[in-house]
Amino acid sequence: MNEVVDFINVNRDRYVEELKQYLAIPSVSALPQHAADVRRAAEWTADALRAAGVPHARLVETPGNPVVYGEWLGAPGRPTVLFYGHYDVQPVDPLDLWLTPPFEATVRDGEIYARGAADDKGQVFMHIKAVEAHMKKAGALPVNMKFFIEGEEEVGSAHLDECIRANKELLAADVVVISDSTMFDRGIPSICYGLRGLAYFQIDVRGTKTDLHSGSFGGAVANPAFALAQILAQMKDRGGRVKIPGFYDDVRPLGEQERAEWRKLPFNETRYRKELGAPRLSGEKGYSTLERVWARPTFEVNGLLSGFTGEGAKTVLPAVAMAKVSMRLVPDQRPDRIAELFEAYLKKVCPATVALTVTRMHGGKPWMTEFDNKYVRAAGRAIQTGFGQAPVFTREGGSIPVVSTFQEELGLPSVLFGVGLPDENAHAPNEKLDLGNFHNGIIASACLYQEIAAV
Ligand code: BES
Ligand code: ZN
């Protein structure tokens, strides 16, 4: 193992140069104009796997973006690790807020800035380089490995469940390893044992067939912008509780023991608030900030559009208003059930003066696991080696829809070992990845396979 770690240390700068090329591909899955780039990123990922010593890495087609699949099965009798990650990235707008171009990776103060640096190309590449180090130094991996790297994670992984169900044998393994989450804080590596789910919708309301003069018609017909605001105002009460009837029915209550564990984590609420630039924090009454994000469901408005928003003033009654909304879900809420409850409530609170259309966008199931198992303990030891410190155990507010599918369809536990930081601007302008964590993450990943070999 020492030789492998030495190799990783010697190659530190080369890894960064190679990562820059990966980050240069604008694989934005949400935007159709980037379809060719998305495919190019898939090819690049497969090439990188082959170069690392996974000989037949290839693209598996889906009705959407291809999955990159590769395997190295040269360790009979040893466990098989299924590595999952995603090569697609979020859109970059607003572009003018980026200090350097999102697809020209730039290193400043030990961080690499680019879309996808943390979420998730940097973390995927970390594992590819860990594999390469084993192959170069030992000519073999300590475990069998299968790679399953998708290109639709950022748009809800719509075709992945089907792909998994159709390839159960191909994907048979002992444990899933994922690096697509964050560390608790700088210098505090973590293993994540819970993720929230998601239910996402677009709401359109129409008041009239066209925009109208607000003097000639204002007062005689409903204003859809106002109607939409009234609808949205019905979604939460003043205590931050979601008002959709039945919304909390399946929520697994947070146990006292878990709450007590979280209170021990070094969370500084004032620093958190100041870093976010929020005048005050806000959330569901009766829960701490960590509890609100990790263990409670929520309703959010992701975007709003209506009427005249240009410079100056225009006296107009908009014909339409639109909102994108989403709910983060926790165990044991189900996105389909929540969608039914939401749509029923929406119909009830929508005034009869406007026409309503609801469109279901994407969803994902929440996930949570018992983390007292041999794979998690193996990861703990690997993180100790890579980061010089044992990990803390966290849940996260974000979603990775496929994790619950791995559990349900393949019966596989997942180990989520992420090296992003909460302030690395995932999904926002100036996304970055700390290069120290990237490097330690390569060492920890290499150690992880070694540790899993011995469980
Ligand atoms: N890497 C994130 C998920 C994540 C975020 C995990 C923060 C832990 C902490 C992932 O790429 C992501 O953004 N997922 C989407 C999924 C959605 C589109 C279904 C999300 O959470 O919004
Ligand atoms: Zn993401």
Side-chain angles (χ1 to χ4, degrees), residues 86 90 119 153-154 180 426-427:
H86 62 96
Q90 286 274 329
D119 185 5
E153 197 276 347
E154 298 292 9
D180 188 24
H427 296 203

Side-chain angles (χ1 to χ4, degrees), residues 266-289:
F267 181 69
N268 181 331
E269 189 147 302
T270 309
R271 199 188 108 203
Y272 179 84
R273 182 184 66 73
K274 287 195 172 147
E275 275 177 7
L276 295 177
R280 276 200 190 199
L281 295 179
S282 154
E284 190 183 0
K285 239 172 98 185
Y287 295 92
S288 72
T289 296

Side-chain angles (χ1 to χ4, degrees), residues 79 94 141 247 302 325 376 412 428 436:
L141 295 178
F247 185 76
N302 302 106
V325 303
V376 168
L412 293 183

